[in-house]
């Protein structure tokens, strides 16, 4: 005869201390126990997702209706900010003079003169002939006004006009000293 009391069913693997919890109930109970432990130690209890893990910086959220640094920026604005930060503004303005020369001074002047150097606010222009070099010297004030209107004030402050470059007659190891031929070029 069997005098023993009825036996409980076979063990389900649940710890009797946990009260027989399984799965997600067990995870919730462990999380609550961890929070209670942290609160006893005086730590801050965080509720929510894992974004609040120490060491990571949480973003503030959406930028809202106004402009924000995190919004996509036009390429031109980024390039101008980069140029200003690195001190390239003057050199880029000088490059605009070279790139837009025909529009700035007019087609007829651009056909007979071209910019060759820009440094320290001084633009050096080389003319096709001595007659055009003289004409550009006479038009210097008007050209500076046109350039300032197209590129900006203070970019080009002086205009240095050069005539055509004459060929060099000093070829070879032996040459005759003196001023060379007396012909005009241009």
């Amino acid at each position: 005869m069997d005098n023993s009391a009825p036996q409980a069913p076979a063990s389900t693997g649940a710890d009797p201390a946990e009260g027989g919890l399984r799965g997600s109930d067990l995870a919730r109970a462990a999380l609550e126990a961890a929070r209670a432990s942290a609160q006893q130690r005086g730590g801050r209890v965080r509720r929510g997702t894992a974004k609040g893990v120490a060491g990571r910086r949480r973003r503030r959220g959406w930028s809202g209706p106004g402009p924000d640094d995190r919004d996509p920026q036009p390429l031109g604005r980024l390039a101008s900010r980069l140029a200003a930060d690195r001190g390239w503004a003057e050199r880029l303005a000088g490059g605009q003079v070279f790139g837009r020369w025909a529009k700035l001074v007019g087609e007829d002047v651009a056909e007979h003169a071209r910019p060759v150097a820009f440094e320290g606010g001084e633009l050096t222009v080389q003319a096709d002939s001595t007659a055009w070099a003289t004409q550009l010297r006479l038009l210097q004030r008007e050209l500076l006004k046109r350039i300032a209107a197209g590129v900006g004030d203070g970019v080009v402050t002086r205009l240095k006009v050069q005539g055509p470059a004459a060929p060099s007659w000093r070829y070879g190891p032996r040459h005759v000293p003196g001023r060379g031929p007396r012909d005009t070029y241009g």
Side-chain angles (χ1 to χ4, degrees):
M1 266 207 214
D2 192 79
N3 290 346
S4 65
Q7 294 278 334
S11 174
T12 58
D15 188 9
E18 294 293 328
L21 298 175
R22 298 185 71 189
S24 62
D25 294 330
L26 182 61
R28 272 193 213 100
L31 180 62
E32 288 301 322
R35 285 183 178 155
S37 172
Q39 213 167 20
Q40 286 174 355
R41 288 190 311 251
R44 206 170 102 197
V45 177
R46 293 186 179 178
R47 300 211 182 260
T49 61
K51 286 184 181 176
V53 175
R56 291 187 194 167
R57 208 171 121 211
R58 186 171 176 216
R59 290 173 65 166
R60 293 183 316 182
W62 299 104
S63 65
D68 190 8
D69 289 339
R70 294 177 289 164
D71 291 340
Q73 302 290 320
L75 186 60
R77 186 179 306 157
L78 292 174
S80 64
R81 187 182 307 161
L82 178 69
D85 290 346
R86 304 240 172 135
W88 299 341
E90 182 183 344
R91 295 186 78 170
L92 288 175
Q96 283 185 352
V97 173
F98 281 80
R100 299 173 48 197
W101 177 250
K103 286 186 178 181
L104 292 174
V105 297
E107 292 294 329
D108 53 341
V109 174
E111 190 175 323
H112 297 286
R114 62 183 176 89
V116 292
F118 178 73
E119 190 171 336
E122 181 180 69
L123 179 67
T124 305
V125 178
Q126 186 171 21
D128 287 347
S129 65
T130 53
W132 267 102
T134 304
Q135 185 69 20
L136 289 177
R137 286 185 190 104
L138 293 174
L139 292 174
Q140 185 171 3
R141 283 190 180 162
E142 184 181 337
L143 292 176
L144 285 173
K145 286 179 186 176
R146 286 184 186 180
I147 292 170
V151 178
D153 281 334
V155 175
V156 178
T157 56
R158 285 189 53 208
L159 195 64
K160 181 178 175 184
V161 180
Q162 295 178 343
S168 172
W169 295 102
R170 294 184 170 254
Y171 293 113
R174 297 183 180 99
H175 61 271
V176 177
R179 293 178 42 191
R182 302 293 178 265
D183 197 4
T184 58
Y185 294 96

